[in-house]
């Protein structure tokens, strides 16, 4: 039977233990002390896991690069059954780690993460005596859309060792991994960032044990991004961008309406509304017109422009400038984000450009960048990094859902985050 390993990639030991109990209740077989957890809590967390789960396989995700024997010894003596060594480590490290593993009765799993030619390396480490390999796409690389499944397919056809697989697995990809030949399916985020850990572990269990064939009609990256951006908030996205991307001084003038789409940019000046309304005619569903107008006290968008935008099924408009006609606009179902509302309009002079780089709310916006607006404000996500930011913001969203749950369960925010422990000591 394929084993399910829950990867405890959290930094708070108490949370790790709670998650581990819930995941085991949902069907996880192996428990991984994740690398961030080991860095935060040291070998003590392995001791605690061993004490709490005397009969489970505990894997210490040491990701050892050097002094293999010593690191294996300390993990083994703390209660681990399996210790990970990086495939990038020198053969001497792996050989010595294997000797130590024999001495202390544990197994070595070689992690092929980021190795340029994992199949060749897998054969080399097998020849050294390794019998447990991990085809692994790390968390940061996953965010750019890399999956471990293709490499797993190749390795399963060539290796004799037991094969583990890790890299953002969900029930669908975990099932595919099991059917492709994985012996151990490692799942972190899907289980540990869930607001129902047991249920999520059970979902993985059922998927891995099922005989159903895997559906291959995957969503395009674009569809996946739009779906994620619709699910998360602008605050989650800004967190994922390390507090960058938020427009300054531009807010929803139609509260409760969220927008997600691609920018059609317009630069114009002092109330000139010719280019903005011309931009409506070259835009369509899913587009958001993003305008820099240079004057926040002369309206360059009003009721007539809004009705035209509604007719062309635009997603919304974001204006570094002013809007008017809210008596009419409030009757139309159209999201407007702007800096100001005034009654006086400018003129259609025709100055400016469409689809050039602009600055809007102090943020650079290029045509095709992703724009997300909600009641907290507007963020711009550069198109080149949009997929990665979408995936990272989903992780932020999941973590917050989990925190909400813990606070509902009686914890305080400071307690849930162990704030005192993690205050900056500098
Ligand atoms: O090993 C892991 C990663 O490098 C962080 O330590 C994860 O445990 C592994 O990737 C599984 O987690 P998900 O990819 O989030 O499923």
């Amino acid at each position: 039977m394929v084993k399910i390993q829950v990867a405890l990639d959290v930094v708070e030991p108490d949370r790790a233990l709670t998650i581990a109990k819930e995941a085991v209740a949902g069907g996880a077989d192996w428990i991984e002390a994740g690398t961030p957890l080991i860095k935060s809590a040291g070998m003590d967390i392995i001791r605690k896991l061993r004490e709490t789960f005397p009969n489970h396989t505990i894997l210490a995700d040491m990701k050892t690069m050097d002094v293999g024997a010593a690191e294996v010894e300390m993990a083994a003596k703390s209660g681990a059954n399996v210790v990970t060594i990086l495939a990038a480590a020198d053969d001497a490290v792996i050989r010595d780690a294997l000797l130590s593993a024999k001495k202390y009765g544990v197994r070595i799993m070689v992690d092929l993460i980021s190795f340029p030619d994992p199949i060749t390396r897998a054969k080399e480490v097998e020849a050294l005596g390794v019998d447990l390999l991990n085809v692994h796409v790390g968390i940061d690389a996953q965010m750019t859309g890399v999956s471990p499944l293709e490499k797993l397919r190749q390795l399963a056809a060539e290796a004799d060792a037991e094969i583990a697989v890790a890299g953002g697995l969900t029930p669908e990809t975990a099932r595919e991994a099991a059917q492709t030949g994985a012996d151990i399916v490692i799942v972190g985020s899907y289980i540990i960032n869930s607001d129902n850990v047991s249920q999520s572990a059970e979902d993985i269990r059922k998927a891995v044990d099922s005989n159903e064939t895997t559906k291959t009609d995957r969503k395009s990256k674009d569809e996946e991004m739009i779906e994620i951006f619709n699910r998360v908030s602008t605050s989650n996205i800004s967190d994922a961008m390390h507090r960058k991307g938020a427009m300054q001084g531009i807010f929803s003038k139609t509260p409760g309406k969220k927008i997600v789409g691609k920018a059609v940019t317009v630069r114009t000046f002092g109330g000139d509304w010719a280019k903005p309304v011309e931009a409506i005619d070259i835009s369509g569903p899913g587009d958001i017109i993003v305008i820099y107008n240079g004057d926040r006290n002369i309206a360059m968008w009003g009721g007539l422009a809004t009705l035209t935008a509604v007719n062309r099924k635009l997603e919304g408009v974001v204006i570094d400038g002013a809007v008017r006609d809210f008596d009419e606009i409030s009757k139309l179902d159209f999201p407007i984000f702007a800096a100001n509302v005034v009654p006086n309009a400018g003129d259609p002079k025709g100055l400016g450009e469409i689809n050039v780089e602009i600055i809007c709310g102090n943020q650079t916006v290029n045509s095709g960048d992703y724009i997300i607006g909600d009641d907290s404000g507007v963020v711009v996500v550069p198109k080149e990094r949009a997929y990665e930011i979408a995936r990272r913001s989903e992780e932020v969203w999941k973590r917050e859902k989990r925190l909400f749950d813990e606070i509902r369960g009686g914890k305080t925010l400071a307690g849930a985050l162990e704030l005192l422990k993690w205050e900056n000591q500098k």
Side-chain angles (χ1 to χ4, degrees), residues 242-376:
H242 296 269
R243 302 180 194 129
K244 298 220 165 62
M247 290 187 181
Q248 290 170 0
I250 296 178
F251 297 101
S252 176
K253 303 295 173 197
T254 49
K257 290 189 172 48
K258 180 171 180 176
I259 52 169
V260 174
K262 287 184 183 175
V264 172
T265 55
V266 183
R267 179 168 53 206
T268 179
F269 304 97
D272 186 345
W273 49 264
K275 292 295 170 202
V277 302
E278 285 164 23
I280 305 174
D281 292 5
I282 60 153
S283 304
D287 287 337
I288 296 173
I289 301 188
V290 185
I291 306 164
Y292 171 76
N293 183 243
D295 192 318
R296 290 180 166 189
N297 293 302
I298 309 172
M300 41 66 54
W301 187 279
L304 298 171
T306 302
L307 182 57
T308 317
V310 169
N311 288 347
R312 290 197 58 79
K313 300 188 169 43
L314 266 59
E315 178 74 11
V317 65
V318 175
I319 304 170
D320 192 335
V323 188
R324 68 174 194 166
D325 294 337
F326 268 86
D327 54 326
E328 295 158 359
I329 287 175
S330 58
K331 292 181 202 126
L332 300 166
D333 184 22
F334 192 73
I336 295 184
F337 294 75
N340 201 8
V341 181
V342 294
N344 49 301
D347 300 294
K349 290 179 187 151
L351 298 175
E353 297 92 17
I354 297 175
N355 279 334
V356 292
E357 180 175 292
I358 63 165
I359 303 288
C360 183
N362 237 354
Q363 292 292 332
T364 302
V365 187
N366 278 288
S367 157
D369 283 349
Y370 279 81
I371 304 293
I372 302 92
D374 61 19
D375 288 350
S376 298

Side-chain angles (χ1 to χ4, degrees), residues 7 9 32 35-36 61 63 113 136-137 139 142 166-169 186-189:
D9 285 320
E32 169 190 326
T35 317
D61 194 13
K63 291 198 176 76
I113 187 169
H136 184 189
V137 172
I139 292 172
Q142 287 163 35
L169 298 180
I186 304 176
V187 184
S189 174

